[in-house]
Amino acid sequence: MNPLPTALAPQELHRHLPAVIRELGTTAFWSALNDWLCRFIPVDSVSVIAYSENQPPVLLFAVLTERERDIFFARFMDGTYIASPSYRGVLENFPAGVYLWPELMPDDFRESDLYKSYYQASQIEDLAYVFCSPIPGLHIQLGLGRHHPNPPFSENDIANLYELETLVLELVNKHWRLNGEQVPPDSRSLSMHVTQRVKEVLNGFGENILTDRERDIARLIISGYSSQAAADKLNISPGTERVHRAKVYAKLNLRSNSELFSLFLSQLTALSE
């Protein structure tokens, strides 16, 4: 990670912006946007993933650390993305804007198998996202990562990201309107088989063991919902949600969200073998 300006300099912002504008509607747009954005926010990794209804996720662009790259394709893009904190933004149709890792991370996530096997193994210290929705039903997540030994994003980094939020959203929306169907030549799409496998494991989780409501709770926990968010989603009280959650743990012989994550991931892995 190269040392970069600690505050937005308007002259620098405007001087390099034409390079992004020139690539609007082309396959080089994401690379140009990344080069421009990273002049003002120090990062170690970048990923741009498009999620759309009934379609496999598409990795539009990525600059990953050497340590992260193999794990990213072997774990995250092979179906476990569904248990990532950022995927909750897709499930809950979050409005476009900047989202920080702590506000997306569900209860007990740092103890989960996914955190330990992917995020910790990739030495990810912090993540920040720009969620974009160029058209209804399409979610594009621009993820910015900081990795050990570099520190998490500073207050100044975060302030810069919020300052650039509107401009980034407008650029992405304009790009998609110009040529949203044209994907970069190095983009990678999950197969329908992977997507179907994820849905199969998630929809069948706890079958013949849990009640329908308990299975609803389990699926929401796996998908990153906090206790309060799950209660809101199901239109039940937080107390009722906690009762159902306790029954899920008891029936599956589990003690925490992290063990529930681990069980889901083990079933997903077993099905893919």
Side-chain angles (χ1 to χ4, degrees):
M1 181 181 69
N2 297 323
L4 295 172
T6 57
L8 284 175
Q11 64 273 20
E12 285 294 299
L13 186 69
H14 298 144
R15 184 160 68 91
H16 296 284
L17 189 56
V20 185
I21 295 174
R22 281 195 297 270
E23 302 300 344
L24 284 167
T26 77
T27 56
F29 168 75
W30 297 111
S31 179
L33 179 66
N34 171 68
D35 291 344
W36 173 75
L37 187 59
C38 291
R39 290 180 179 275
F40 310 102
I41 303 166
V43 302
D44 299 304
S45 65
V46 177
S47 65
V48 182
I49 302 176
Y51 299 94
S52 54
E53 190 173 355
N54 298 321
Q55 295 294 325
V58 179
L59 180 67
L60 300 175
F61 177 80
V63 177
L64 306 174
T65 67
E66 184 177 352
R67 187 181 185 96
E68 180 185 19
R69 178 169 293 277
D70 290 342
I71 307 175
F72 181 82
F73 290 108
R75 297 283 288 180
F76 188 87
M77 288 297 285
D78 195 32
T80 57
Y81 66 86
I82 198 170
S84 69
S86 60
Y87 192 66
R88 200 176 115 227
V90 176
L91 295 173
E92 297 188 51
N93 199 29
F94 281 14
V98 169
Y99 291 87
L100 306 180
W101 207 21
E103 64 185 304
L104 295 171
M105 196 178 293
D107 306 336
D108 203 23
F109 183 70
R110 289 185 184 274
E111 299 302 318
S112 70
D113 178 66
L114 178 58
Y115 177 80
K116 294 173 181 176
S117 64
Y118 173 62
Y119 296 95
Q120 192 173 62
S122 300
Q123 295 186 314
I124 296 175
E125 289 288 334
D126 202 359
L127 287 165
Y129 297 88
V130 183
F131 288 0
C132 311
S133 299
I135 58 174
L138 173 67
H139 300 266
I140 296 179
Q141 294 186 347
L142 173 62
L144 308 173
R146 295 286 290 272
H147 297 243
H148 179 81
N150 292 316
F153 290 110
S154 68
E155 291 183 6
N156 192 78
D157 296 329
I158 293 170
N160 284 354
L161 185 57
Y162 277 113
E163 186 72 19
L164 294 171
E165 176 186 55
T166 300
L167 189 49
V168 171
L169 293 176
E170 287 300 323
L171 287 168
V172 171
N173 290 344
K174 182 67 172 178
H175 168 70
W176 203 263
R177 286 194 295 269
L178 286 172
N179 204 350
E181 296 299 322
Q182 187 178 13
V183 298
D186 58 349
S187 64
R188 295 184 58 167
S189 176
L190 289 182
S191 68
M192 277 295 187
H193 172 71
V194 171
T195 303
Q196 191 58 41
R197 189 178 79 227
V198 170
K199 290 181 179 179
E200 182 179 340
V201 175
L202 191 63
N203 291 336
F205 191 83
E207 196 172 19
N208 301 324
I209 300 175
L210 306 176
T211 66
D212 288 345
R213 178 58 85 192
E214 289 163 359
R215 291 176 66 201
D216 289 340
I217 294 291
R219 284 193 290 265
L220 291 174
I221 296 170
I222 291 166
S223 299
Y225 285 69
S226 66
S227 184
Q228 181 64 60
D232 293 342
K233 180 76 172 178
L234 297 173
N235 295 315
I236 59 178
S237 71
T240 300
E241 192 278 341
R242 286 193 293 271
V243 169
H244 286 306
R245 185 179 293 234
K247 291 180 179 179
V248 169
Y249 291 162
K251 290 183 178 181
L252 298 178
N253 195 28
L254 306 173
R255 293 174 296 179
S256 65
N257 287 359
S258 62
E259 292 187 1
L260 187 65
F261 275 119
S262 297
L263 179 60
F264 168 75
L265 294 178
S266 67
Q267 292 184 6
L268 187 64
T269 301
L271 192 60
S272 66
E273 293 175 347

